[in-house]
Amino acid sequence: MMGKLLTSDFLKIKRKGLWFLTALGPIGVVALQMVNYGVRKDYLLEQSEDDWGYYLLNIHSFTPLAIVLGIAILTSFMASIENETNAWKQLIALPVSKFTVYLSKFSVLAILLLLSSTLLSLLTLAYGVFLDLGDSIPYSEIMKYGFYPYFAALPILALQLWVASVFHNQGIPITIGIFGVMFTYSAYVLPDWMIWKWPSLMNEWDEPLMNVMLGIGIGVLLYIVGMLDFARRDVK
C-alpha cells in the first residue's frame, strides 16, 4: 500500500510545478555564482589560494536560504493539492492508516529535496570544472556542501509538513517559512540549538557533521510528533 500511495502522490504533483521548483533551487544557486564569477572572476580568484574551496564557500552562502525557502514552498504546495480537491478525506477512507499517508507525504518531499541536493552537487562540479579552478577537484567537499545542508534541514522539513498538514489555511506555514528564511539568513547570530541555523553548518565546535547528526535526530523526532498529531486529528 505504501508503494501505491507514493505512486499516487508523485502523479498528483506531476503537473503542479513541484518538479520545476525542485530544479529551480540548485539552478538558481549556481546561476548566482555564474553571474558572480562572470563579472569579477579575476578578483575572486585573488581572494584565496584555494580556488575550489573559495568557490564552494560562495556556493554554500546561498544553499541554506534556498533549501529553507524550498521546504516552505514544497510542503505548502503538497498540502494545498489535497486541500483544493478535498482529497484528505478520500485518502483516509482508503484501507490505509493515517501514519502511512503522512509517511508518504514526507517521503515524497524528502526525495524531491534529495534530488535537488544531487542536482546542486552536479551543477557545482560542472561549473567549477568550467571555471578551470584546478585539476585537484575536491569531490568530498562538493558532496559535503551539497548534502550536509539537506540532512541538517530535516527538522525544518518535518516542522513545515506538520504545520502545512494540520492547518487548512496555507498562509500559516508560508509565514513560518518566511520567518525561517529570515532566521537562516541571520544564522551567524543564532544560538546553536535553533534548527534554522543548522543548514548553514555553523556551530561553536566548527564541526559541520554535528549539524548533520542533530538534523537527522531531531528531524526524526519532529516527524514522529507531527505524524502522531496528524493521526489524532479529524480530517477536514
Side-chain angles (χ1 to χ4, degrees):
M1 182 58 72
M2 181 61 186
K4 291 181 179 179
L5 278 176
L6 283 172
T7 301
S8 174
D9 282 333
F10 276 115
L11 287 174
K12 288 178 183 177
I13 68 173
K14 187 175 181 181
R15 292 186 175 87
K16 298 297 183 178
L18 271 72
W19 287 107
F20 171 74
L21 292 172
T22 299
L24 182 62
I27 290 174
V29 169
V30 177
L32 287 172
Q33 294 312 311
M34 289 181 177
V35 174
N36 194 18
Y37 276 83
V39 172
R40 50 177 190 160
K41 178 181 179 181
D42 292 338
Y43 169 78
L44 293 172
L45 293 179
E46 292 173 357
Q47 300 308 301
S48 173
E49 295 182 358
D50 182 4
D51 293 338
W52 271 104
Y54 191 74
Y55 164 68
L56 292 178
L57 286 176
N58 276 293
I59 290 284
H60 180 64
S61 64
F62 292 98
T63 302
L65 295 172
I67 196 168
V68 172
L69 180 60
I71 286 172
I73 295 173
L74 290 176
T75 51
S76 182
F77 270 37
M78 176 69 76
S80 293
I81 292 172
E82 306 298 343
N83 292 334
E84 289 171 1
T85 59
N86 292 320
W88 285 118
K89 287 187 176 181
Q90 297 176 29
L91 282 172
I92 303 306
L94 296 173
V96 60
S97 68
K98 287 185 178 180
F99 299 120
T100 307
V101 171
Y102 195 82
L103 176 59
S104 177
K105 303 299 180 187
F106 184 87
S107 298
V108 169
L109 292 167
I111 290 170
L112 290 177
L113 290 168
L114 182 61
L115 291 174
S116 184
S117 296
T118 302
L119 181 59
L120 175 62
S121 298
L122 293 174
L123 291 175
T124 298
L125 172 62
Y127 189 58
V129 171
F130 174 80
L131 289 173
D132 193 21
L133 298 177
D135 296 329
S136 182
I137 301 175
Y139 293 103
S140 62
E141 290 295 298
I142 292 173
M143 296 288 284
K144 181 179 82 172
Y145 285 116
F147 291 98
Y148 274 22
Y150 163 74
F151 290 110
L154 287 178
I156 302 172
L157 172 59
L159 176 63
Q160 288 286 159
L161 177 61
W162 180 12
V163 176
S165 298
V166 299
F167 288 103
H168 191 80
N169 180 6
Q170 289 305 298
I172 296 174
I174 287 294
T175 300
I176 294 175
I178 292 172
F179 276 107
V181 172
M182 294 170 62
F183 287 144
T184 303
Y185 180 76
S186 305
Y188 59 94
V189 298
L190 295 180
D192 287 344
W193 56 265
M194 291 193 70
I195 60 175
W196 293 278
K197 181 175 182 176
W198 297 349
S200 70
L201 306 182
M202 293 187 294
N203 56 58
E204 62 177 301
W205 304 281
D206 195 26
E207 179 50 69
L209 194 58
M210 179 70 72
N211 293 35
V212 173
M213 301 305 293
L214 284 170
I216 294 173
I218 303 301
V220 170
L221 179 61
L222 282 176
Y223 164 75
I224 293 173
V225 173
M227 178 183 65
L228 292 174
D229 182 61
F230 175 78
R232 74 176 181 81
R233 289 175 179 264
D234 293 328
V235 178
K236 297 180 180 181

